[in-house]
Amino acid sequence: MDVLDVVVIMLIGLWVFLPAMLPNSAAVVFGGGKPMDFGRSINGKRILGDGKTWRGFFGGGLAGVALGIILMGISYIFDKDGLWGYIDFWKGLGIVICLSFGALLGDLMGSFIKRRLGIARGKKAPILDQFDFVIGAFLLTALFHWRWVYDTYIHEWHILALIFLLIVTLLLHRAMNILGYKMKLKDVPW
Ligand code: CTP
Ligand code: MG
């Protein structure tokens, strides 16, 4: 194992995780219409809030899955046997669906916790805002593809892929929110 092998492990860890990174940004574009909680509240506080819509959920989710299929297509050109970490098409598709919808479920969980804490829709919640989707993506994927999560992000040097992923996520989240704000898709730069 030399340095280059570890760099490859880190880059593949990021590459295969991209379908988890797109859905929440895509949800901003597709979002609107009926909120997922249909406007309902618990103890006077919205269950999820107006920032979580059905259109955003399914639009964002399908965008993530579509991206995953494109990534597998690109991988196939260079790595016919392992699809650069996705293993094979059907296995990869299962992983991609879990990553994409797991990210959105994590985001819902984040909003649910924010509302319970009395934090209004769109108001800042450090850590939760940045990592709720990562947690959701890993939990759902580990549930159905534990071995893959272990081999890709935990086993030996692969833990560096996870650390690299978390750092990139933090930087990307910040950059995307500033971009969304500048493009007037979001009201606040976080
Ligand atoms: N969005 C959506 N449906 C989702 C997730 C997101 O429609 N399931 C859209 C909404 O327009 C939302 C925007 O994407 O306002 C940004 O998402 P996010 O930052 O997660 O929501 P917030 O509005 O900040 O609300 P919260 O405080 O609940 O995070
Ligand atoms: Mg937000």
Side-chain angles (χ1 to χ4, degrees), residues 5-167:
D5 293 325
V6 178
V7 171
V8 168
I9 283 173
M10 287 160 70
L11 290 177
I12 285 189
L14 188 61
W15 172 262
V16 292
F17 198 73
L18 292 177
M21 297 180 121
L22 181 66
N24 290 299
S25 305
V28 180
V29 180
F30 291 112
K34 277 249 179 306
M36 297 182 81
D37 63 6
F38 298 106
R40 280 195 285 253
S41 301
I42 302 174
N43 298 329
K45 288 169 185 156
R46 284 289 293 274
I47 299 175
L48 297 170
D50 286 329
K52 307 293 120 155
T53 65
W54 289 102
R55 268 177 27 203
F57 186 83
F58 286 105
L62 292 178
V65 174
L67 175 66
I69 292 171
I70 292 168
L71 297 183
M72 282 194 274
I74 297 170
S75 306
Y76 182 73
I77 300 170
F78 300 94
D79 176 21
K80 292 196 169 40
D81 303 321
L83 298 185
W84 274 353
Y86 283 127
I87 303 172
D88 68 50
F89 180 78
W90 293 110
K91 174 96 175 158
L93 187 63
I95 291 168
V96 162
I97 291 171
C98 287
L99 286 172
S100 181
F101 282 94
L104 287 154
L105 289 173
D107 178 58
L108 291 186
M109 181 194 70
S111 292
F112 180 79
I113 295 171
K114 279 169 80 171
R115 299 303 91 83
R116 304 288 73 70
L117 295 173
I119 302 170
R121 176 232 170 144
K123 290 281 171 293
K124 250 200 251 194
I127 301 175
L128 219 49
D129 280 335
Q130 288 86 344
F131 293 113
D132 55 5
F133 82 93
V134 183
I135 296 167
F138 273 118
L139 283 181
L140 192 65
T141 311
L143 195 63
F144 292 97
H145 301 280
W146 162 249
R147 192 70 219 182
W148 180 82
V149 171
Y150 179 78
D151 289 344
T152 312
Y153 296 106
I154 298 170
H155 184 63
E156 290 177 358
W157 288 98
H158 287 263
I159 194 77
L160 288 182
L162 180 62
I163 294 167
F164 179 57
L165 180 70
L166 295 178
I167 294 169

